[in-house]
């Protein structure tokens, strides 16, 4: 069965710092990869997704993620965070032989200090 | 921008009672899902629904759970006899096609508290 790991549970950064959140998955086949964000009191929103092609994908709000197949990783990055990026970030994977279900990581709670 | 909506936002119930959680998916979407997140744990897949029938379900989705699309807009999750361990945030999601390459759009969730 596929699984997703997010190693950082809590991250605290100051504004303008660079961000990298790790995501690793365990599945040997073809996968679709997603990062979702949940701002306080709001629903899960899609930040970006990777299905195929260029392994460096750009999403909304200046976020990007790089798919490294050999490392089974899909890390999320942002060069300069803002206070408004304070949220919980979830990595999710859909394995192409697992129908449409998403398998989520445990989430990373990011706090950006002004 | 169209959104998935869910009602109620918070439901409190007594153990053993039946609850129905409601979702209105995005109007042209065809695939519907329920996920749950127990406090402090991962978001877990429960069930997917397409063409008026369940297409996949997880081990969590036992006989206590059922889903229904009673009309053209609502998608419901029923828990027949709630247990304390059913306390969680329940998220509905939908996608616009039957393929597994499309994005799931999530609702705001219903927080279920079983006393």
């Amino acid at each position: 069965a596929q699984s997703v790991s997010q190693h950082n549970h809590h991250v605290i950064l100051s504004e303008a710092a660079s961000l990298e959140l790790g995501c690793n998955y365990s599945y040997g086949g073809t996968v679709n990869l997603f990062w979702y964000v949940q701002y306080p009191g709001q629903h899960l929103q899609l930040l970006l997704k990777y299905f195929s092609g260029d392994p460096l994908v750009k999403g909304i709000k200046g976020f990007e993620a790089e798919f490294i197949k050999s490392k089974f990783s899909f890390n999320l990055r942002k060069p300069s965070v803002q206070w408004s990026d304070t949220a919980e970030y979830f990595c999710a994977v859909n394995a192409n032989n697992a129908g449409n279900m998403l398998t989520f990581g445990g989430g990373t709670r990011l706090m950006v200090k002004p | 921008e169209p959104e998935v909506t869910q009602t109620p936002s918070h439901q409190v119930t007594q153990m053993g009672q039946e609850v129905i959680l409601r979702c209105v998916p995005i109007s042209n979407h065809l695939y519907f899902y329920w996920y749950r997140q127990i406090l402090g744990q991962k978001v877990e897949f429960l069930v997917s629904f397409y063409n008026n029938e369940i297409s996949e379900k997880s081990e969590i989705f036992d006989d206590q759970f059922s889903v229904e699309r009673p009309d053209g807009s609502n998608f419901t999750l029923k828990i027949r006899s709630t247990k304390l361990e059913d306390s969680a945030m329940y998220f509905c999601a939908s996608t616009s096609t039957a393929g597994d390459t499309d994005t799931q759009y999530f609702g705001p969730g219903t927080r279920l508290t079983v006393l």
Side-chain angles (χ1 to χ4, degrees):
Chain A
Q2 61 201 29
S3 66
V4 181
S5 298
Q6 291 180 244
H7 306 296
N8 312 104
H9 300 295
H10 290 92
V11 173
I12 301 174
L13 294 173
S14 298
E15 275 196 314
S18 65
L19 170 72
E20 181 160 1
L21 302 183
C23 173
N24 288 89
Y25 64 92
S26 64
Y27 180 69
T30 304
V31 292
N32 299 320
L33 299 154
F34 304 81
W35 275 98
Y36 282 87
V37 61
Q38 188 173 30
Y39 298 104
Q42 297 189 29
H43 59 279
L44 287 161
Q45 301 173 39
L46 182 71
L47 266 183
L48 47 78
K49 59 187 178 184
Y50 172 79
F51 290 160
S52 63
D54 188 345
L56 183 63
V57 292
K58 295 193 183 298
I60 60 171
K61 305 186 182 187
F63 286 90
E64 64 179 32
E66 185 174 12
F67 171 50
I68 303 179
K69 190 174 181 181
S70 60
K71 294 185 178 181
F72 299 91
S73 70
F74 189 56
N75 291 356
L76 181 72
R77 299 193 292 249
K78 185 171 183 177
S80 175
V81 294
Q82 301 170 299
W83 175 79
S84 57
D85 293 324
T86 294
E88 190 157 15
Y89 293 81
F90 295 91
C91 181
V93 169
N94 164 243
N96 280 351
N97 74 346
N100 293 332
M101 61 174 283
L102 289 177
T103 300
F104 281 84
T108 298
R109 199 175 290 275
L110 171 67
M111 180 184 294
V112 180
K113 298 185 293 185
Chain B
E1 185 179 325
E3 289 185 339
V4 176
T5 59
Q6 290 184 243
T7 54
S9 56
H10 192 183
Q11 172 96 43
V12 180
T13 190
Q14 296 290 327
M15 191 169 56
Q17 296 296 303
E18 175 184 285
V19 294
I20 298 176
L21 309 183
R22 290 183 167 78
C23 169
V24 179
I26 295 173
S27 64
N28 64 345
H29 283 191
L30 301 176
Y31 251 90
F32 314 115
Y33 312 84
W34 284 101
Y35 291 81
R36 78 170 186 193
Q37 186 180 27
I38 296 170
L39 188 64
Q41 298 186 24
K42 293 186 178 185
V43 177
E44 302 171 291
F45 169 79
L46 291 178
V47 65
S48 62
F49 189 86
Y50 171 70
N51 201 25
N52 282 319
E53 59 184 31
I54 291 173
S55 51
E56 295 173 274
K57 60 182 181 178
S58 70
E59 292 175 353
I60 303 167
F61 194 87
D62 61 20
D63 293 343
Q64 293 285 80
F65 292 89
S66 61
V67 288
E68 194 178 30
R69 188 153 163 84
D71 53 43
S73 60
N74 288 284
F75 178 52
T76 61
L77 174 69
K78 183 192 289 187
I79 309 175
R80 187 169 35 231
S81 176
T82 50
K83 299 181 275 231
L84 295 176
E85 53 265 38
D86 293 327
S87 294
M89 196 76 167
Y90 288 81
F91 296 103
C92 173
S94 66
T95 56
S96 64
T97 74
D100 63 1
T101 58
D102 267 351
T103 302
Q104 295 182 26
Y105 294 88
F106 284 81
T110 293
R111 184 172 298 283
L112 176 66
T113 302
V114 182
L115 302 176

